[in-house]
Amino acid sequence: MGGAAGRPPRMGLLPLSLLLLLLPALPMETADEQRLRRLPVIFNFGDSNSDTGGLTAGLGLLLPQQEGRAFFHRPSGRLCDGRLVIDFLCESLNSSYLSPYMESLGSDFRNGANFAVIGSCTRPPNVPFSLAIQVQQFLRFKLRSLELVAQGTKGLIDAEGFQNALYAIDIGQNDLAAAFSANLTYAKNLYDNGGKNFWVHNTGPLGCLPQKLALPRKNDSSLDPYGCLIPFNNAAKEFNAQLSGLCDELNSKLKNATIVYTDIYSIKYDLIANFTKYSFETALMACCGYGGPPYNFNQRMECGSFGSKVCPLGSKYISWDGVHYTEAANAIVASKILTTKYSKPNLAVDYFCTA
C-alpha cells in the first residue's frame, strides 16, 4: 500500500480545554517552597566591624589603597584588607553583599541594607551616625519602600520581607557603658515597627587589640597569659554578661520575636589564644601600621598614613590595623558563628531567612 498509510498519525496540538484539565496534575509550588525562593533580607546596624561603605559614602571619604587588597583589590569602604564577618554571612546565604544605605550609585537593596557606619556610638543619640540615627534611617527606608511597592514598583522589599527580615546589631566597641542599654532599646524600637528576628553580637576582647596594648604601661602585670590586657577584657566580659541577660529578658517579653545572642568574645579570644592552631603568624601585631614588633601600632601614624608599613600580601595576621580584623580572621569568626555553638538559642542565620 502507499507510504502515507504506513506512517503513524501525526499528533496535533492539544486542545486548550484538555490542557486546562491537565494543569491541576502538574506539580505546584508549595508555600514553603515560595518562602525558600524569596531573597534573604538582612538589615544591619553597627560600627566599623560591619560597615561596608557607609562612612565613605556619607562623607565622601577615600580610604587608603591598602584597604581591600586581599579580595576586592581596591578600597571598598571597609576597614579591612578584604571581607568582613557580615560579608561571609551573606555568602553563606547565597546573597549579595549588603549595600550601604547612603551609597547612591550601584546599590542593590533587594536583600536589605547596611546602616552601619565606621566610628558609630550609641550616645549621644542624635549625632550622626549613632545607632539612633541608623534606626531612623531604616524607618525612612521602610516607609519609602512600602510607598513605592504600593505604587507598583518592582524589585523592592515588601511588607512580608520587612517582617521576616533578620535585624543584625553589632555595636558597642566604641562606648561600652552606653551601648549596654542602647542595643536592646533600639531592638525594641525595631520590634515595635514590625521586626521579629534579631541577631545581636556581643563585643570582642578589647584587651587583645594592638591599639590598646600599645598604650603606655608601667609593667606587664596587667597582661593575661596570652598577652592581653586584663582590665579591658574584664570590662568587655561584664558588658557581655549584662547584654546576654537583657537578650534573655526580651526573648521572654517580646511575643513572636526571636533574639539570638552571639558570643563573639569567645570566638575571637580563642582565635588569639590558639593563633598557631589556625595557622596565623602572630596574634597581637597589626599587619598595617607603624612601629614594628610587638604591636606595630602608633596612634599618630595609623594604617595608610604616610610612613606606615603593611605586611606582605599573603601574610597571616589576625589584626589588620590594630583595631579591625583581617579577612583571614573574619572568615574563621564567621565559620564559627555558622556552627551555632556560640549562639543562644542555637539557631543558624539561615533559620530566619528561610522560615
Side-chain angles (χ1 to χ4, degrees):
M1 303 297 250
R7 286 197 295 266
R10 296 174 60 186
M11 296 295 293
L13 293 174
L14 290 173
L16 179 60
S17 57
L18 183 55
L19 277 175
L20 292 175
L21 288 172
L22 290 173
L23 277 177
L26 298 175
M28 302 296 288
E29 190 176 50
T30 66
D32 285 341
E33 288 170 335
Q34 289 175 351
R35 283 195 293 270
L36 284 169
R37 187 168 49 79
R38 291 178 67 94
L39 284 172
V41 176
I42 303 173
F43 295 108
N44 184 69
F45 307 85
D47 51 29
S48 57
N49 287 322
S50 59
D51 182 359
T52 55
L55 186 70
T56 56
L59 299 184
L61 297 179
L62 296 177
L63 294 181
Q65 286 300 312
Q66 295 93 329
E67 307 288 351
R69 67 173 190 166
F71 182 78
F72 299 101
H73 309 298
R74 59 173 177 79
S76 65
R78 297 159 172 81
L79 291 184
C80 180
D81 61 334
R83 289 163 287 183
L84 306 177
V85 170
I86 188 70
D87 295 318
F88 287 108
L89 296 180
C90 285
E91 286 184 7
S92 75
L93 296 169
N94 295 316
S95 176
S96 58
Y97 302 135
L98 292 180
S99 293
Y101 167 73
M102 290 184 285
E103 181 56 76
S104 57
L105 299 175
S107 292
D108 181 356
F109 296 121
R110 290 176 299 171
N111 65 321
N114 194 355
F115 299 88
V117 174
I118 293 166
S120 291
C121 299
T122 58
R123 294 287 190 273
N126 296 319
V127 174
F129 293 97
S130 68
L131 182 57
I133 296 296
Q134 293 179 30
V135 171
Q136 288 176 8
Q137 289 175 327
F138 163 75
L139 294 176
R140 183 187 184 281
F141 177 91
K142 178 182 178 182
L143 178 65
R144 187 68 179 133
S145 296
L146 296 180
E147 285 178 350
L148 292 172
V149 168
Q151 293 169 14
T153 304
K154 304 297 183 183
L156 296 178
I157 300 170
D158 58 15
E160 184 180 358
F162 281 103
Q163 183 181 27
N164 294 326
L166 177 63
Y167 295 83
I169 302 174
D170 183 0
I171 196 169
Q173 183 169 310
N174 296 320
D175 57 344
L176 280 184
F180 164 64
S181 59
N183 263 290
L184 280 303
T185 298
Y186 293 110
K188 178 69 166 56
N189 191 350
L190 292 169
Y191 171 80
D192 289 340
N193 282 277
K196 63 178 183 178
N197 304 316
F198 300 92
W199 194 275
V200 179
H201 286 184
N202 71 12
T203 198
L206 303 181
C208 300
L209 297 178
Q211 177 203 47
K212 300 291 189 289
L213 290 164
L215 295 171
R217 58 177 183 269
K218 291 183 179 179
N219 53 55
D220 291 344
S221 61
S222 60
L223 299 181
D224 70 11
Y226 303 108
C228 300
L229 286 163
I230 295 171
F232 281 100
N233 280 353
N234 283 345
K237 286 190 283 189
E238 176 60 26
F239 165 81
N240 291 339
Q242 296 186 48
L243 185 64
S244 174
L246 278 178
C247 285
D248 291 340
E249 182 181 340
L250 284 185
N251 260 325
S252 64
K253 286 184 175 179
L254 302 184
K255 185 179 179 181
N256 297 323
T258 301
I259 300 173
V260 175
Y261 169 86
T262 305
D263 188 5
I264 299 297
Y265 183 100
S266 293
I267 295 174
K268 289 184 173 179
Y269 192 73
D270 170 65
L271 193 61
I272 290 162
N274 300 291
F275 70 95
T276 56
K277 168 186 162 186
Y278 296 102
S279 302
F280 286 100
E281 301 170 27
T282 176
L284 302 175
M285 189 166 80
C287 167
C288 184
Y290 180 80
Y295 307 122
N296 195 37
F297 184 88
N298 187 308
Q299 194 77 48
R300 294 186 297 274
M301 199 175 293
E302 296 183 354
C303 177
S305 300
F306 179 78
S308 63
K309 307 290 184 182
V310 62
C311 64
L313 190 61
S315 302
K316 290 274 286 191
Y317 280 61
I318 291 176
S319 177
W320 166 239
D321 57 9
V323 179
H324 309 98
Y325 285 56
T326 60
E327 172 175 286
N330 286 332
I332 294 173
V333 173
S335 69
K336 297 273 189 180
I337 292 172
L338 292 171
T339 67
T340 75
K341 293 178 182 177
Y342 296 88
S343 297
K344 180 182 68 169
N346 300 121
L347 298 175
V349 177
D350 59 2
Y351 168 84
F352 299 103
C353 299
T354 60

